[in-house]
Amino acid sequence: MESISPPIGVKFVASSVKEPSCTIGFSGSVPPRLRNFDRICKSNRVFTETKSPAIDFSDPDWKTKYQKDFERRFDIPHLTDVFEHLVPIPSTFCLRSRTPASEDFADGYPSDEKWHGYINNNDKVLLKTIHYSSPTSAGAECIDPSCTWVEQWVHRAGPREKIYFKPEEVKAAIVTCGGLCPGLNDVIRQIVITLEIYGVKDIIGIPFGYRGFYDEGRHEMPLSRKVIQNIHLAGGSLLGVSRGGPDVSDIVNNMEERGINMLFVLGGNGTHAGANAIHNECRKRRMRVAVVGVPKTIDNDILLMDKTFGFDTAVEEAQRAINSAYIEAHSAFRGIGIVKLMGRSSGFIAMHASLASGQVDVCLIPEVPFYLHGPHGVLNHLKCLLESKGSAVVCLAEGAGQNLLEKTNATDPSGNIILGDIGVHIQLETKKYFKEIGFPADVKYIDPTYMIRACRANAADGILCAVLGQNAVHGAFAGYSGITVGTCNTHYVYLPIPEVISYPKQVDLNSRMWHRCLTSTGQPDFV
Ligand SMILES: Nc1ncnc2c1ncn2[C@@H]1O[C@H](COP(=O)(O)OP(=O)(O)O)[C@@H](O)[C@H]1O
Ligand SMILES: O=P(O)(O)OC[C@H]1O[C@](O)(COP(=O)(O)O)[C@@H](O)[C@@H]1O
Ligand SMILES: [Mg+2]
């Protein structure tokens, strides 16, 4: 059946292109549709038509069809899709006090029949909670021209009453891929703790990302509560991370050799593309394996989720850099402080950090094109700020203004385009500009990116990591595979991997949050 769905989370814009409902193979670069900032940026309103209508709104049943199609897309893969006759057993996850690590199950599995802590498989979470009365409502996301209320439900995460793995038969592996992110150790820790509560004793860490499935001499790391007890007190990843690595069939060969039947994959878009490919390969080989992702992206660029772990910490930690830039700028005669934050294709960290600080005058993100020079350029605005208030602070995301830099086609081992350093460029251009116009300014540049990324998770992220890690284990024991965990409207959910990685989530320029950021900075358009 052909999908009738428009891309989730993307507004109907006048010239929107139908998005494939499932694009695997994303590897860091921004799809052309999203690179076309102009179209999105310049329209400050939502269009209710599409040039390539995927849905026939004259069909009286369009809504039912849409909802059915949505349900199909967001159905989460289960081991019984392939192994029809698998018989589940009652969950060994109950909160009755016992000592699972030292327990064997000779006398049967522990159970707690009176406990009502399980999630029903049919429990669902509403993905979109606002009923926009009109497409012109601020931030409206509409399916049809009348902005009809259409329900979109996704699966609720958590422990199930029946499980599809016997704990003593589980060999669970955890791997952390891509760049670092605050909270990786917290998630590893919670996965191990929760596995042990189910009664799993064979838990290993794969060193240095997907490479650890391949490189000779890299030994798996046995994990237990004892090993992971305090790892969350430090940033980084106990297991190490890496970009690039072996192809999927080598990874699955290695999993077969090691007897891994539960794989927990912590990573971003690229890692999840890999996890989904591993899941598909396992299915193809009829391996009874659960592959579950935990989205790790400091940039917060995974679709559909309220936020990903590490993001909150990054925003909080960025305050120190912004405040330093402010103090430097404010204390200098005509001071300008420039802070570069992470955000390869999405400006969420810069936007939130700017809003939180209240000290930023100009926020530059990848989604918004800008000129440096000319009457409407950033530099002229900085001059106005120096004249009016004596100092200025600029906060920018690393992916902003890439069109101003010379292009290289260089990529990292994962295939992500290596960006030019926009922070250094703006610093140099700013110094040059003020020198040339004979209006001396004191420019200070701060790049705290790797200092931020190496931090340990803050309290909010610590909680998020705990719940995500626990839910990942519940999902695997429940027999799901090819899924990832997340939060939607503050509820915890399971989502099929392809739906969250078809392109990176970006700041919506029609969103209330971006408008709030602009209100706070008071910056004009720089085009
Ligand atoms: N399309 C893909 N299919 C399979 N594996 C991928 C794909 N894209 C990236 N990977 C692998 O995922 C890992 C992490 O990818 P990367 O883009 O560096 O980080 P992130 O997961 O944070 O986006 C790397 O080992 C990379 O080889
Ligand atoms: O220098 P590295 O390790 O390639 O990491 C830089 C990248 O890490 C990020 O913070 C997040 O990247 P991932 O989500 O792919 O790990 C990007 O914003 C940034 O471009
Ligand atoms: Mg990535």
Side-chain angles (χ1 to χ4, degrees):
M1 189 174 84
E2 209 188 302
S3 171
I4 59 164
S5 312
I8 304 304
V10 174
K11 292 169 180 175
F12 268 22
V13 289
S15 47
S16 72
V17 178
K18 189 174 179 294
E19 194 81 33
S21 68
C22 158
T23 312
I24 309 176
F26 168 80
S27 166
S29 58
V30 182
R33 188 181 64 76
L34 292 174
R35 274 198 225 111
N36 190 354
F37 311 114
D38 268 12
R39 192 199 315 144
I40 304 169
C41 173
K42 285 179 183 157
S43 72
N44 206 19
R45 65 200 169 94
V46 182
F47 294 85
T48 53
E49 286 172 44
T50 169
K51 273 185 183 163
S52 53
I55 307 173
D56 176 9
F57 295 119
S58 64
D59 178 350
D61 290 335
W62 74 264
K63 198 202 281 191
T64 314
K65 285 182 182 164
Y66 177 88
Q67 286 178 174
K68 273 212 167 116
D69 188 59
F70 187 90
E71 205 177 304
R72 179 191 60 77
R73 282 172 49 200
F74 282 83
D75 199 19
I76 42 180
H78 194 270
L79 289 178
T80 51
D81 302 341
V82 178
F83 305 96
E84 285 167 25
H85 304 297
L86 265 191
V87 181
I89 60 168
S91 179
T92 55
F93 179 81
C94 55
L95 297 181
R96 279 278 160 88
S97 173
R98 56 197 184 88
T99 50
S102 60
E103 191 175 14
D104 61 35
F105 299 102
D107 302 327
Y109 297 105
S111 73
D112 183 356
E113 281 158 21
K114 292 202 187 85
W115 191 51
H116 296 293
Y118 298 115
I119 299 290
N120 190 297
N121 277 339
N122 295 321
D123 285 356
K124 300 275 177 72
V125 171
L126 198 53
L127 190 60
K128 301 279 160 62
T129 50
I130 300 180
H131 180 187
Y132 298 99
S133 61
S134 155
T136 58
S137 298
E141 290 178 44
C142 305
I143 308 282
D144 71 324
S146 314
C147 221
T148 310
W149 170 247
V150 181
E151 290 176 8
Q152 301 172 347
W153 296 97
V154 295
H155 287 265
R156 189 176 171 210
R160 268 46 178 180
E161 201 167 358
K162 301 274 185 216
I163 56 174
Y164 285 81
F165 289 90
K166 291 181 177 169
E168 69 273 29
E169 292 175 1
V170 170
K171 176 161 183 175
I174 307 173
V175 63
T176 57
C177 311
L180 286 181
C181 180
L184 278 168
N185 281 335
D186 303 59
V187 178
I188 295 169
R189 181 173 179 272
Q190 288 295 333
I191 290 174
V192 172
I193 288 172
T194 312
L195 282 167
E196 284 201 352
I197 289 184
Y198 272 93
V200 179
K201 291 172 192 160
D202 199 355
I203 311 170
I204 58 160
I206 303 293
F208 300 106
Y210 286 138
R211 278 174 196 280
F213 282 109
Y214 189 69
D215 288 357
E216 276 176 29
R218 298 221 188 279
H219 300 295
E220 59 190 40
M221 183 187 290
L223 298 173
S224 63
R225 186 183 269 264
K226 198 171 163 202
V227 174
I228 51 81
Q229 191 57 43
N230 292 319
I231 59 171
H232 62 303
L233 301 180
S237 164
L238 172 75
L239 307 176
V241 290
S242 72
R243 298 195 190 273
D247 68 29
V248 168
S249 76
D250 288 330
I251 293 174
V252 178
N253 288 344
N254 192 267
M255 284 172 65
E256 268 190 304
E257 278 163 30
R258 295 187 203 218
I260 294 166
N261 54 3
M262 263 188 203
L263 178 63
F264 299 97
V265 181
L266 282 51
N269 280 297
T271 306
H272 274 72
N276 201 56
I278 294 169
H279 156 75
N280 286 330
E281 181 66 18
C282 289
R283 279 194 156 197
K284 209 170 91 190
R285 299 188 192 186
R286 292 189 64 81
M287 289 163 63
R288 199 139 67 81
V289 173
V291 182
V292 178
V294 182
K296 168 243 54 158
T297 152
I298 198 168
D299 297 349
N300 198 30
D301 60 357
I302 301 267
L303 293 170
L304 303 179
M305 296 172 187
D306 297 345
K307 64 173 179 177
T308 47
F309 73 82
F311 172 69
D312 203 83
T313 306
V315 170
E316 189 172 305
E317 199 58 29
Q319 300 307 301
R320 282 149 47 100
I322 292 174
N323 192 46
S324 302
Y326 173 80
I327 289 171
E328 284 286 348
H330 197 63
S331 308
F333 175 63
R334 291 187 192 145
I336 296 175
I338 301 171
V339 178
K340 184 180 81 171
L341 300 175
M342 279 185 169
R344 181 184 281 281
S345 54
S346 312
F348 290 103
I349 300 178
M351 175 175 75
H352 282 246
S354 299
L355 197 49
S357 79
Q359 294 166 313
V360 171
D361 301 290
V362 175
C363 175
L364 302 173
I365 59 174
E367 295 86 342
V368 184
F370 61 89
Y371 292 121
L372 278 182
H373 296 277
H376 303 298
V378 174
L379 297 173
N380 192 43
H381 181 61
L382 290 178
K383 179 168 172 280
C384 296
L385 290 170
L386 293 188
E387 284 165 346
S388 59
K389 52 182 267 199
S391 65
V393 175
V394 180
C395 174
L396 57 100
E398 64 177 327
Q402 287 296 307
N403 57 316
L404 305 174
L405 304 171
E406 209 169 300
K407 275 207 168 44
T408 74
N409 289 324
T411 55
D412 71 15
S414 293
N416 300 306
I417 289 165
I418 295 176
L419 301 178
D421 197 329
I422 187 67
V424 169
H425 178 75
I426 290 186
Q427 177 204 192
L428 295 175
E429 286 297 305
T430 307
K431 284 180 175 166
K432 203 165 94 190
Y433 169 78
F434 283 103
K435 194 169 172 198
E436 277 171 10
I437 63 170
F439 187 89
D442 194 346
V443 182
K444 297 289 192 302
Y445 173 56
I446 300 175
D447 178 349
T449 46
Y450 290 112
M451 294 180 73
I452 289 174
R453 202 167 75 164
C455 282
R456 68 170 278 198
N458 68 10
D461 273 331
I463 294 169
L464 181 58
C465 291
V467 185
L468 295 177
Q470 292 180 13
N471 279 335
V473 176
H474 296 317
F477 264 102
Y480 297 115
S481 180
I483 62 161
T484 194
V485 292
T487 56
C488 293
N489 301 312
T490 73
H491 295 287
Y492 293 90
V493 297
Y494 293 137
L495 297 162
I497 290 176
E499 291 295 339
V500 301
I501 58 163
S502 46
Y503 53 92
K505 182 172 80 176
Q506 292 196 296
V507 172
D508 178 351
L509 305 188
N510 289 312
S511 66
R512 309 226 39 216
M513 211 44 135
W514 178 242
H515 293 171
R516 288 172 189 130
C517 184
L518 295 180
T519 302
S520 176
T521 60
Q523 72 195 68
D525 279 352
F526 297 114
V527 285

